[in-house]
Amino acid sequence: MLAWHITHALCDRRVIATEPAELRVLARTVIEAGGDALLAFRGSDNHVHSVFAGERAAAGGFARHVASALHHRLRLVVPFEPTDVRPIRTQGHLGNSFEYVLGNAEHHGAAHDRLFEASNLPDLLGLRAIGAATRARVRAMLPRVDRALLLRLLGVDALEAAFAPDHLVAAACAAAAIPTLRSRSPEAVAARIASLHVGAPHLTARELEALLGIPERTARRLRASAVDPALLIAIGLQMDLRRKLGIIVSDAPFLAFG
């Protein structure tokens, strides 16, 4: 067997996640559970599709872990229905499943996730740092999947690092798959460090501190800390994507979750 097509849905088919903070929690949960066996995933509003390349027992474990973790982290009030795990036996079926899963939300309307945050498409294009293992697995198992195809799925012709101060906070949260920068988690700290470095050539220290909500003393300490190069790239690409899609700035990235 090449892989498994796995579908998660709540028992009454109610919505799982639609807000940016929730979408990032969903993405981090699936990526952490799937590791280097994850080829693709996409959350629609009320279900999640995944393509998992591993043994049947491992696929079952992945499915159970995702259901349990999402139920806890998103505080869902009803259980998931029994997970649908379907075999993918041929290379053609695998390619079709990959494209279907990443484009699935569009079949059901995806206005809530135009940025594909509830998927691994950002990881495949360098827009997010945590799912790098999916890039290696896709290259190995789907060598015909190229950047042009992935950009087409995303809805843009090209991406390049950009700076748009109004989008910096949202871009940093998306690049790190975190609901908010206002957290003491290692992921949020790393995102704040990277944001300071990304913004330094464009804004004064005081402007950056105000934009990111970081006290001057804390900002000085963070600037002296090691920065993740992948996050620097991802934040710049996230800002470019938001500009190209005409995303309107909101305060959603500041919402605490959990």
Side-chain angles (χ1 to χ4, degrees):
M1 207 65 61
L2 286 176
W4 305 88
H5 184 167
I6 299 168
T7 305
H8 287 89
L10 293 172
C11 63
D12 59 359
R13 290 282 172 161
R14 73 175 64 191
V15 167
I16 297 172
T18 56
E19 296 300 320
E22 298 170 337
L23 299 176
R24 294 170 194 148
V25 170
L26 187 154
R28 180 171 286 277
T29 298
V30 177
I31 289 169
E32 289 175 348
D36 62 6
L38 185 66
L39 276 171
F41 75 92
R42 183 86 202 267
S44 183
D45 54 354
N46 69 349
H47 61 281
V48 182
H49 287 284
S50 306
V51 178
F52 182 89
E55 299 297 329
R56 177 60 178 85
F62 163 78
R64 289 189 296 273
H65 184 106
V66 168
S68 175
L70 287 180
H71 197 274
H72 172 70
R73 294 176 182 180
L74 294 176
R75 299 174 182 173
L76 302 172
V77 297
V78 297
F80 280 91
E81 66 184 18
T83 307
D84 185 18
V85 182
R86 300 184 182 183
I88 298 174
R89 293 186 170 90
T90 69
Q91 190 67 31
H93 187 189
L94 181 63
N96 290 339
S97 297
F98 177 84
E99 290 194 47
Y100 173 81
V101 165
L102 285 179
N104 179 258
E106 277 59 47
H107 300 305
H108 304 280
H112 68 285
D113 191 19
R114 293 176 59 204
L115 296 163
F116 281 74
E117 293 204 63
S119 81
N120 66 316
L121 189 54
D123 303 284
L124 296 174
L125 287 167
L127 288 151
R128 193 166 58 205
I130 68 169
T134 68
R135 291 201 296 270
R137 181 55 72 108
V138 169
R139 281 195 298 267
M141 296 190 68
L142 291 162
R144 295 186 183 182
V145 172
D146 58 15
R147 190 169 182 83
L149 169 61
L150 298 174
L151 288 170
R152 178 175 61 78
L153 289 170
L154 187 60
V156 297
D157 294 327
L159 287 171
E160 58 186 5
F163 186 76
D166 289 347
H167 290 301
L168 179 58
V169 171
C173 289
I178 54 175
T180 176
L181 283 182
R182 296 180 176 181
S183 165
R184 295 182 181 179
S185 71
E187 296 82 12
V189 172
R192 289 198 294 274
I193 292 169
S195 299
L196 287 167
H197 283 267
V198 168
H202 308 278
L203 300 173
T204 67
R206 184 166 295 180
E207 288 171 334
L208 259 179
E209 290 156 10
L211 181 62
L212 299 172
I214 302 175
E216 179 182 0
R217 184 175 178 180
T218 302
R220 286 200 304 270
R221 175 175 56 80
L222 292 177
R223 287 189 183 95
S225 303
V227 63
D228 181 348
L231 267 180
L232 294 178
I233 295 169
I235 292 171
L237 295 178
Q238 287 279 358
M239 285 189 281
D240 188 42
L241 177 61
R242 281 163 168 74
R243 291 200 310 181
K244 286 178 174 171
L245 293 183
I247 299 297
I248 298 173
V249 178
S250 74
D251 62 356
F254 288 100
L255 296 176
F257 192 88

